Amino acid sequence: MTSTRLCLAAAATLLIAPGAALHAQPAPSGPPAVRGFPPALLGDELAREAALRAVPNADTLRAQLIALSAVPHEAGTERSHHVAEMILARFRAFGLDASIEQFEALMPRPTSRSLELVAPEHYV
């Protein structure tokens, strides 16, 4: 067999059964190795990662989005303060030491509004 045919046969073998070479070695026992964590602390890290993956529940996020966007809450209004209180309660439920700070800010709100049609006829 020439070297070209030998190379093609080896490549075909790897393409047909790519997992055969991997399964020839015995599988390591225990949890998988994670770089950066000593084996003694790996179980705790895997448990924390699993708990964090379970947090973004789509139903909970949908309910929160509906509650926060149900009524307009322009900055500085009573509804805006209510939304801030809802978020503060949520943060505290997570065990965070959170608080609301108030600041004076200039809000560019119009003092009067009008609409005027100038053509083809004038109308206010």
Side-chain angles (χ1 to χ4, degrees), residues 2-41:
T2 65
S3 62
T4 305
R5 286 185 184 167
L6 184 60
C7 288
L8 288 175
T13 303
L14 289 175
L15 289 174
I16 293 171
L22 296 175
H23 294 296
Q25 300 173 353
S29 62
V34 177
R35 292 175 53 180
F37 292 95
L41 300 176

Side-chain angles (χ1 to χ4, degrees), residues 48-100:
R48 279 191 293 272
E49 288 180 11
L52 288 172
R53 277 190 209 97
V55 170
N57 181 330
D59 294 333
T60 303
L61 293 175
R62 187 175 297 109
Q64 289 296 315
L65 180 63
I66 289 170
L68 294 175
S69 63
V71 178
H73 50 274
E74 184 182 3
T77 63
E78 173 108 12
R79 179 64 185 167
S80 175
H81 184 71
H82 177 70
V83 168
E85 292 287 340
M86 288 172 51
I87 294 171
L88 176 65
R90 189 86 170 148
F91 283 170
R92 287 185 176 163
F94 292 143
L96 299 173
D97 181 22
S99 63
I100 294 176

Side-chain angles (χ1 to χ4, degrees), residues 93-116:
F94 292 143
L96 299 173
D97 181 22
S99 63
I100 294 176
E101 294 185 28
Q102 293 185 1
F103 297 93
E104 293 294 323
L106 296 175
M107 299 300 295
R109 293 189 181 115
T111 56
S112 66
R113 298 179 184 111
S114 66
L115 178 63
E116 185 173 350

